DNA sequence: AATGAATGAGGCTTCATTCAT
DNA sequence: AATGAATGAAGCCTCATTCAT
């Protein structure tokens, strides 16, 4: 592991995984430490032995908890994507019928998730390609659902004449991108809180779609 | 190499490297094929032998042209970042003094670069962390310069009262993100041309900073 | 490995390592077989795979026991030097205060060690330069201590008028050399026993320093 | 090449090869630089490219002068052994019939050769085993002849009653060893000149064989 | 005489994984 | 649940050597 090559991807973060998603004992520790290492060095750059060492066990012992390294990554990506989807859906459900309010709610949730769990988000977006195809399919499905939630908001707002976008899919791409990249530069020592960033980005999204604010 | 795991990151692309940046002969071929493979499988997922095989030489022969695998990556990242910077600067120089025109020009260049050389852009953004620190420093400097060009436009437009942004750095982050992510989803078979995408994203950027359009 | 180039350095030997210094199991076997091969072909001429094959395991398995090839060499050199030092010190302690008796004791121990463990001695003297500097320091310290033991005997004998040498350091060099080279030509099929050689060389040393015998 | 591992074998020396033995031009330079590098890092530790670089040419160009790396080593070993033999024989011829004077002459020549060309001597004694068998045979013949010259002196002196040794072969081994090891510790910055060392060691040899001095 | 490019062989090492304990 | 030992595959890289230029 390249110790001199640290933190070019992501600064230190304390909360790694959403509460309630982490298993007990070694199983959970493996997940957190794998996340930390995958975020820092990439999936290929962190070995089973590295992870085990962080946990305080030996490499072989990891296999008492996960059948393979890919299973660990898959679980992380699943947790990340599901948490992200859940938050967006919950935000949307609470937002009421007004398209602008919906957009604000969804973008806030999207951005917030990436700022609150940046390691999870970085791994989810940067290490997807390391996941064998059989693991990727259901996770990509979740991702597509998340995107669809946002796309539907944009489309509906456009149809209702509240938004004005030349190309809904490009608007989706642009708005989604803002949030995704947050995970790559946000660190807890940033002078803005995740909430503040989420608020500003929600405003950006509204402007982007031409909503009156 | 995970053959079943192909193309989850990026679709096929024809032009890999900016003209004039590619050396002649094997040296240039190594660069292109490494780019293709790094984009597809990641730096760690593509071996020297894989690259050599694409070029039609043996692994050991790669070392007649580059002293290490990291040097190949470094050259790709340097080309990518310098081309990106050059385009943004050229666009800015041609744009005249009007902030909105400047923003449009810079964002178009930014987006266009990511759509025209998506592999280079993907590798530049996703494999930076694989580069040993001694190679990274000068490249990160170029990256910072590129960002500064855009940030200065945003700040000046804001000071002149042409733009209205609550937080110039967040605006930069948002606008930059849009373009960066283009490389991850754009493919030549997209129904939009790079120009069209660049135009729409430039419009998004203008809206985002509150410029009258 | 150059099979036609065998045994130009040293003839076959049965006991390789001092008893009590060899670890159990594969760890110990690796040490003995590495010693045999390093003595025969040099450090650079014996590969990890060669060693592993002699042990009956695969190359990768060597790394379950030693973190690198250099560590194996370092352990061999450490054992060799420490055993040598220990024997010389023990001999000196048992020799009483008389300089000539001390010289005889020390030289006998010195020669005996080289004749009894010729492979260890050959490797210790011929492969030192292959050891990375960080490993070499403590070992060279032991070597210096061994030399000092002999030098002190020579000096004291000279000061007491029992010996008569023009240059104590050269006497040390000459006497030490006799013993060191024994490892390069002595083989168990020699018509002399190690004891006999040690006795004769002790006599030579006495003559060399001008002690009355 | 391990730059931090320098000079653990031998200190810096200016004259590398006996005058008249070095070919002109690149051919000679290759020989000297190979000697320097083989002495420092061992035959296996110095590559053809390393040698070429010291000479100021490329690795491939070495093959315009020597058909293989082994040929370079062979030439060095041949030069070293022949020079050594020639000096011993010349010394013996000039010494007259008196055994003690013969011994002094031969030992002086032996020691002097090792102190004046320590690199050649180190390589000759430490890298012999790296030489393929077909090259080694004639060189070992020369070595045997050199030894015989000294052994014959010892035997004759003993038969004539001038010397008194319990075992002529062991006396040879001891006396030869003194000289051989000189190459490993002697450096031009030593406070003794090669002549002084040769004189002292000749005296040691006389004492060792029990010659009246 | 020298070189750039290429190569086959091989070196050390890491890694995910297995299995008996 | 954990471990030490082992392994096959593979990775990066070095090396002596060849050959056309």
């Amino acid at each position: 592991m390249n110790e001199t090559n640290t933190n070019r991807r992501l600064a230190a973060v304390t909360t790694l995984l959403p509460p309630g998603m982490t298993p007990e004992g070694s199983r959970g520790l493996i997940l957190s430490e794998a996340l930390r290492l995958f975020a820092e060095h990439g999936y290929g750059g962190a070995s089973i032995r590295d992870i085990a060492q962080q946990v305080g066990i030996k490499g072989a012992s990891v296999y008492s908890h996960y059948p393979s390294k890919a299973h660990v990554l898959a679980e992380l990506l699943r947790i990340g994507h599901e948490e992200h989807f859940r938050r967006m859906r919950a935000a949307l459900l609470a937002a009421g019928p007004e398209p602008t309010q919906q957009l604000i709610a969804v973008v806030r949730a999207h951005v917030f998730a990436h700022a609150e769990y940046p390691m999870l988000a970085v791994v989810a977006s940067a290490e997807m390609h390391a996941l064998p195809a059989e693991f990727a399919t259901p996770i990509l499905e979740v991702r597509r659902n998340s995107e669809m939630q946002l796309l539907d908001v944009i489309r509906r707002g456009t149809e209702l004449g509240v938004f004005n976008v030349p190309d809904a899919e490009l608007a989706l791409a642009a708005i989604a991108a803002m949030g995704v990249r947050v995970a790559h530069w946000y660190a807890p020592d940033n002078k803005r809180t995740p909430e503040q960033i989420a608020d500003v980005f929600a405003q950006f999204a509204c402007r982007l779609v031409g909503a009156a604010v």
Side-chain angles (χ1 to χ4, degrees), chain A:
Chain A
M1 305 256 299
N2 190 341
E3 291 299 334
T4 70
N5 194 13
T6 284
N7 273 2
R8 210 139 0 95
R9 219 180 189 185
L10 177 74
V13 163
T14 49
T15 317
L16 296 179
L17 286 165
M21 307 301 297
T22 323
E24 305 261 307
S26 288
R27 205 178 145 81
L29 281 176
I30 290 167
L31 218 50
S32 326
E33 298 305 324
L35 174 54
R36 203 190 300 274
L37 291 168
F38 292 166
E40 195 69 34
H41 305 283
Y43 177 74
S47 73
I48 286 276
R49 278 171 168 86
D50 291 331
I51 298 166
Q53 194 188 18
Q54 294 293 322
V55 174
I57 59 179
K58 305 293 177 183
S61 309
V62 170
Y63 291 84
S64 297
H65 302 280
Y66 293 92
S68 80
K69 193 186 175 189
H71 281 82
V72 177
L73 178 61
E75 179 129 346
L76 285 171
L77 294 192
R78 188 189 56 74
I79 291 174
H81 281 81
E82 290 186 351
E83 178 73 9
H84 178 247
F85 174 75
R86 197 178 300 117
R87 285 170 174 238
M88 287 183 75
R89 191 183 48 191
L92 193 52
L93 287 174
E98 215 283 303
T100 302
Q101 292 308 315
Q102 289 182 347
L103 183 66
I104 290 172
V106 173
V107 171
R108 287 192 81 259
H110 176 59
V111 172
F112 199 76
H114 284 78
E116 197 171 5
Y117 300 109
M119 285 188 175
L120 205 48
V122 160
V123 172
S125 84
E127 305 298 338
M128 194 74 213
H129 75 120
L131 199 62
E134 64 270 30
F135 294 94
T137 314
I139 294 172
L140 289 173
E141 178 71 12
V142 176
R143 179 182 288 191
R144 217 179 53 80
N145 288 341
S146 295
E147 286 172 348
M148 280 304 141
Q149 280 189 125
L150 178 48
L151 184 58
D152 286 347
V153 168
I154 296 171
R155 283 189 176 138
R156 182 166 165 274
T158 306
E159 284 160 12
L160 293 179
V162 180
F163 301 161
N164 166 31
V165 289
D167 185 324
E169 286 173 359
L170 289 188
L172 166 65
I175 294 171
M178 290 183 206
V180 167
R181 296 291 304 174
V182 166
H184 290 269
W185 56 262
Y186 181 75
D189 63 353
N190 195 291
K191 62 187 174 196
R192 305 158 191 93
T193 64
E195 284 85 353
Q196 290 171 328
I197 295 169
D199 285 337
V200 173
F201 274 40
Q203 185 188 4
F204 287 163
C206 291
R207 287 180 173 184
L208 197 151
V209 300
V213 204

